[in-house]
Amino acid sequence: MSVSRRWYKAMVARNEAELKNYLSESSELRFVGSADGELWLGPAVREAIGRHFEEVPDILDREELLAEAYESGDIGWSLFANRFRFRGLPDPVTFRTTLIFALEHGLWKIVHRHASLPSPNETSIGHKHTAIQDLLDSVEEGFNIGQAEGLASIMFTDIVNSSPIVEAIGDLAWSRLVASHFDNLRNVIEANGGEFVKSLGDGTMSSFASARAALTAAKTIQTEMLKQNTEPKLSLRVGLHTGDVVRSNDDFFGNVVNKAARVTEAAEQGEICVSDTTHAVVGADFDLSFSDPQLVSLKGLDGSHQIRLLNWRD
């Protein structure tokens, strides 16, 4: 995730040397643009990458709409949707970009880049694809085959200010550090009856049948973070929300998941932020202490939302 974000930062800044450094030196390098004929192969891409982005109008602003990153062994890939505002254009333009990475000499290098502009299929092929959207709609409505519903507390964790650490230690060392961190989180989550659902870039998502168990796990996680005795030391923000979730296969869906992620974004370094619902579910528990409620806006959610901080420090 952090490597991809640095790529886009270098692109906006038109930093030719940095852009070139992120690209693979192999002849298998592929660079696919959004226009007809924009399919380039091999070393020529590295040599011309600076001039390629110089031809793009000045970028006034970049808004990240979607960011996902995964890795498996020596291969990694990311999917980003970015909305750009260009100088001289009245409306912003959204680009969807996939980056595929391979480890070369211990560093993540882009071996395949594919960018696209959203365009209706009805315009290009005379047909509108609906199968996937119909499936997603059915999940939202609660009718997906093989799914289960129920009350759960969803917890997200997120590493704060990871970019400077990555720049200091390099991508390979960072990958190993994060993998070890995720293993430690999984142990705490499962020891408290939770399920480690997935990792998302620098963060994780987990689910608990008990809100109290989720809060206990969150306290343990932050307490363990204070015990780090080697550098670099990581800092976390944690967020929780409780409600009815829809489970399909090994993942969870629904508004509860979305709000839990947004509650996490409201937390600062070292904080555990909980929704009013999670606070209400645990009720009067003398082992748990919370701050006074705050009214905040959560991205993508209407109105104001009440949150509290769990006082986890002894």
Side-chain angles (χ1 to χ4, degrees):
M1 184 80 76
S2 57
V3 182
S4 299
R5 288 193 170 118
R6 294 204 300 277
W7 161 265
Y8 295 117
K9 183 178 179 180
M11 185 186 72
V12 173
R14 301 175 192 258
N15 188 327
E16 180 177 359
E18 191 169 355
L19 288 168
K20 186 176 180 179
N21 186 54
Y22 283 121
L23 294 176
S24 170
E25 299 178 11
S26 73
S27 60
E28 284 74 32
L29 174 62
R30 301 292 183 264
F31 198 87
V32 184
S34 57
D36 186 29
E38 292 187 343
L39 172 57
W40 299 292
L41 319 176
V45 176
R46 298 184 79 251
E47 297 306 316
I49 191 65
R51 294 191 298 275
H52 173 77
F53 284 114
E54 282 179 1
E55 296 174 341
V56 176
D58 291 340
I59 299 173
L60 304 178
D61 180 63
R62 177 177 73 93
E63 180 185 1
E64 192 175 284
L65 305 178
L66 171 68
E68 296 181 340
Y70 310 89
E71 65 178 87
S72 178
D74 293 342
I75 299 295
W77 58 100
S78 69
L79 170 63
F80 275 71
N82 292 299
R83 180 179 291 141
F84 296 97
R85 287 198 308 112
F86 295 102
R87 187 182 304 279
L89 296 182
D91 299 317
V93 180
T94 298
F95 281 86
R96 298 177 297 197
T97 308
T98 298
L99 300 176
I100 300 177
F101 298 86
L103 280 174
E104 295 182 5
H105 310 298
L107 297 174
W108 289 112
K109 299 287 187 176
I110 298 170
V111 293
H112 187 104
R113 177 264 196 186
H114 191 162
S116 67
L117 288 164
S119 176
N121 284 310
E122 292 172 294
T123 302
S124 56
I125 63 175
H127 177 74
K128 181 179 180 180
H129 291 297
T130 63
I132 296 176
Q133 188 58 50
D134 289 344
L135 176 60
L136 293 175
D137 290 342
S138 70
V139 169
E140 291 296 327
E141 294 168 4
F143 297 110
N144 187 36
I145 296 175
Q147 73 182 28
E149 299 182 20
L151 185 68
S153 290
I154 300 297
M155 181 176 76
F156 282 90
T157 71
D158 182 48
I159 300 175
V160 181
N161 295 328
S162 61
S163 294
I165 300 177
V166 180
E167 292 177 2
I169 68 176
D171 295 313
L172 181 60
W174 173 253
S175 297
R176 292 170 176 166
L177 178 63
V178 171
S180 175
H181 166 66
F182 287 165
D183 286 341
N184 293 335
L185 292 186
R186 183 189 296 273
N187 290 337
V188 174
I189 290 163
E190 293 180 350
N192 285 276
E195 178 183 354
F196 186 102
V197 178
K198 60 184 175 181
S199 59
L200 310 113
D202 296 345
T204 68
M205 171 184 165
S206 55
S207 173
F208 296 79
S210 162
R212 190 184 192 286
L215 292 168
T216 301
K219 288 177 60 177
T220 303
I221 287 170
Q222 290 290 32
T223 301
E224 291 297 317
M225 298 301 293
L226 290 181
K227 298 179 182 178
Q228 297 173 89
N229 53 19
T230 59
E231 295 183 352
K233 295 182 179 181
L234 303 180
S235 296
L236 288 185
R237 54 181 177 178
V238 181
L240 299 100
H241 178 50
T242 303
D244 283 322
V245 298
V246 175
R247 176 169 187 161
S248 178
N249 297 323
D250 294 324
D251 210 344
F252 291 81
F253 302 89
N255 293 330
V256 173
V257 175
N258 184 39
K259 185 169 182 177
R262 300 311 181 192
V263 168
T264 307
E265 292 174 354
E268 299 291 340
Q269 176 177 316
E271 291 183 342
I272 300 171
C273 187
V274 305
S275 69
D276 55 342
T277 306
T278 300
H279 175 260
V281 168
V282 295
D285 190 322
F286 295 108
D287 291 331
L288 299 172
S289 172
F290 297 89
S291 69
D292 292 332
Q294 309 172 42
L295 281 180
V296 299
S297 297
L298 300 179
K299 183 179 179 181
L301 301 178
D302 294 335
S304 296
H305 301 263
Q306 190 177 96
I307 61 171
R308 296 173 187 258
L309 300 179
L310 177 64
N311 300 321
W312 60 270
R313 294 178 175 85
D314 292 333

